[in-house]
Amino acid sequence: MDTSALITAFVTLFVIIDPIGLMPMFVALTQGADSATRRSIALRSCLTAFGILALFAFFGESVLGFVGISMPAFRIAGGVLLFLTALDMLFERRTKRREDRVEEDESPDPSVFPLAIPLIAGPGSIATVILLGGQMADGATGSVLVLGVAVAVLVVVLGMFLAAGVFERIMGKTGVNVATRLLGMLLAALSVQFILEGLRNFGFAN
């Protein structure tokens, strides 16, 4: 397996899940909770997200085949979805929606909803694991590889959650905004690559 493909997959999924952008949401959802409770919520949210992503990594392509959707078509649709996500990041629309969702969906235990679903394992990350699994290798091998990449990203998410308060104080609101925009630019380029690959499979691009 080409190491560069694994690195690209990690960067893509990292940008989609956006651990840096999730930190303020985690702080808001766990406001007033003690350290032990925060750790428990962080762990449960990441484990739940892992289960969801694993399900789609292994069975997502089968579901697509069942409903008659080809991988090139899904790759183009996924690229468009990721591009829209990149625009949201560049213009702060995604952050605003996440903040609104946090305010509307506050609950005693936010680990499953809205943290795991849809903030971590949302439409973008689900589409990404399906796309990357088919791109990295055929069959179960691709699913295992992309799931390993997802685990690495979720470990970063867990670390960010556990140190959310410290990171937020260090980076400040401006630092988080700058990082989100840089990640948005990178995601825009990656999404265009997905679209071009889908078009190439259909014979529309070289």
Side-chain angles (χ1 to χ4, degrees), residues 35-121:
S35 298
T37 302
R38 276 192 165 184
R39 283 195 299 270
S40 178
I41 291 173
L43 186 59
R44 281 199 303 273
S45 64
C46 289
L47 287 174
T48 303
F50 168 77
I52 295 166
L53 294 178
L55 179 67
F56 280 95
F58 282 100
F59 302 109
E61 194 167 347
S62 299
V63 172
L64 293 179
F66 179 76
V67 297
I69 300 173
S70 68
M71 274 307 296
F74 188 79
R75 187 168 284 118
I76 294 170
V80 172
L81 175 63
L82 300 187
F83 187 77
L84 293 175
T85 301
L87 292 180
D88 284 348
M89 293 174 70
L90 287 168
F91 296 104
E92 288 191 319
R93 292 196 294 260
R94 184 164 75 156
T95 300
K96 181 64 169 61
R97 280 204 303 270
R98 280 175 166 177
E99 289 172 349
D100 291 342
R101 190 177 292 136
V102 165
E103 292 174 2
E104 294 171 3
D105 300 322
E106 284 183 354
S107 60
D109 184 4
S111 55
V112 175
F113 182 86
L115 278 176
I117 312 167
L119 294 181
I120 302 175

Side-chain angles (χ1 to χ4, degrees), residues 3-206:
T3 305
S4 63
L6 290 173
I7 294 173
T8 299
F10 177 85
V11 171
T12 303
L13 201 52
F14 182 91
V15 170
I16 285 294
I17 294 178
D18 188 17
I20 297 172
L22 285 176
M23 282 192 302
M25 312 305 156
F26 180 79
V27 171
L29 284 167
T30 58
Q31 191 172 13
D34 56 38
S35 298
T37 302
R38 276 192 165 184
R39 283 195 299 270
S40 178
I41 291 173
L43 186 59
R44 281 199 303 273
S45 64
C46 289
L47 287 174
T48 303
F50 168 77
I52 295 166
L53 294 178
L55 179 67
F56 280 95
F58 282 100
F59 302 109
E61 194 167 347
S62 299
V63 172
L64 293 179
F66 179 76
V67 297
I69 300 173
S70 68
M71 274 307 296
F74 188 79
R75 187 168 284 118
I76 294 170
V80 172
L81 175 63
L82 300 187
F83 187 77
L84 293 175
T85 301
L87 292 180
D88 284 348
M89 293 174 70
L90 287 168
F91 296 104
E92 288 191 319
R93 292 196 294 260
R94 184 164 75 156
T95 300
K96 181 64 169 61
R97 280 204 303 270
R98 280 175 166 177
E99 289 172 349
D100 291 342
R101 190 177 292 136
V102 165
E103 292 174 2
E104 294 171 3
D105 300 322
E106 284 183 354
S107 60
D109 184 4
S111 55
V112 175
F113 182 86
L115 278 176
I117 312 167
L119 294 181
I120 302 175
S125 53
I126 289 172
T128 301
V129 295
I130 297 174
L131 290 171
L132 291 174
Q135 190 178 51
M136 292 170 74
D138 293 329
T141 302
S143 299
V144 171
L145 289 171
V146 76
L147 192 57
V149 172
V151 168
V153 175
L154 289 174
V155 167
V156 176
V157 173
L158 180 60
M160 291 287 190
F161 280 178
L162 295 178
V166 176
F167 274 106
E168 191 177 33
R169 286 193 295 271
I170 293 174
M171 294 184 66
K173 187 174 182 179
T174 301
V176 172
N177 287 339
V178 170
T180 299
R181 280 175 167 77
L182 289 174
L183 291 172
M185 287 287 291
L186 182 59
L187 179 58
L190 289 169
S191 65
V192 171
Q193 186 65 37
F194 274 132
I195 294 171
L196 289 175
E197 288 175 1
L199 292 173
R200 188 178 299 115
N201 290 335
F202 277 123
F204 292 130
N206 296 321

